[in-house]
Amino acid sequence: NANVRELEGALKRVEAYVKFHRRAISTETAKEALKDILIAQSRQISVENIQKTVADYYRIKMVDLLSKKRTRNLTRQIAMALARELTTMSLPEIGNAFGGKDHSTVIHACKVTGNLRALDTTIDADYKVLLQTLRG
């Protein structure tokens, strides 16, 4: 299991930190040893947060963003492109998060969004605002 491996890795990191710095194991030394990992995790952006931010920005309901209907297609494509850019999720994982879409749909969404951003300054500006909002 990936979670077990992550936990084992964190424990080994704390153990090595304690030995190297000749310190006793404590909550404080564990925090110091895992500082960079904790910072990275706090910066991670979830696909749910991306979906909610995009839905709010375009004033649509989350249900519409995630539905299998072709309405709101551009909004969904922008959200998928943002998920691809801002998360470490795989294409199939992103597709699943958007109502069970195929990985090829995510690839297509990224291409369409990129092309539209190059052609339409309004879409490019919207995308940049969404990026900045999500990155904090």
Side-chain angles (χ1 to χ4, degrees):
N1 190 328
N3 290 335
V4 172
R5 284 193 299 277
E6 285 178 34
L7 184 56
E8 288 172 345
L11 290 172
K12 286 179 182 176
R13 187 180 185 126
V14 171
E15 182 181 26
Y17 183 89
V18 167
K19 284 180 181 176
F20 182 79
H21 292 284
R22 295 189 174 110
R23 308 232 344 240
I25 293 179
S26 69
T27 304
E28 212 47 50
T29 54
K31 283 180 184 175
E32 288 174 32
L34 302 173
K35 179 175 50 180
D36 55 334
I37 294 172
L38 296 171
I39 289 170
Q41 283 182 340
S42 71
R43 286 188 189 152
Q44 282 185 339
I45 300 166
S46 71
V47 74
E48 293 81 13
N49 189 20
I50 291 169
Q51 292 167 337
K52 183 176 179 346
T53 303
V54 170
D56 289 349
Y57 185 82
Y58 287 108
R59 296 184 180 100
I60 64 168
K61 295 176 184 165
M62 280 284 287
V63 205
D64 294 335
L65 187 68
L66 303 176
S67 76
K68 294 198 184 269
K69 295 180 197 167
R70 290 187 177 262
T71 57
R72 309 290 184 205
N73 211 24
L74 176 60
T75 308
R76 184 182 306 115
Q77 289 173 332
I78 289 171
M80 285 182 180
L82 286 164
R84 181 74 176 134
E85 184 169 345
L86 296 173
T87 71
T88 57
M89 293 174 71
S90 68
L91 295 171
E93 288 171 330
I94 293 170
N96 284 335
F98 282 88
K101 302 287 184 203
D102 190 69
H103 75 281
S104 61
T105 305
V106 180
I107 294 170
H108 177 72
C110 294
K111 285 181 185 174
V112 167
T113 301
N115 291 340
L116 287 173
R117 287 182 64 202
L119 296 172
D120 187 327
T121 55
T122 305
I123 291 173
D124 186 51
D126 286 349
Y127 192 89
K128 288 175 180 173
V129 166
L130 286 162
L131 266 178
Q132 192 171 16
T133 301
L134 288 160
R135 286 184 173 147

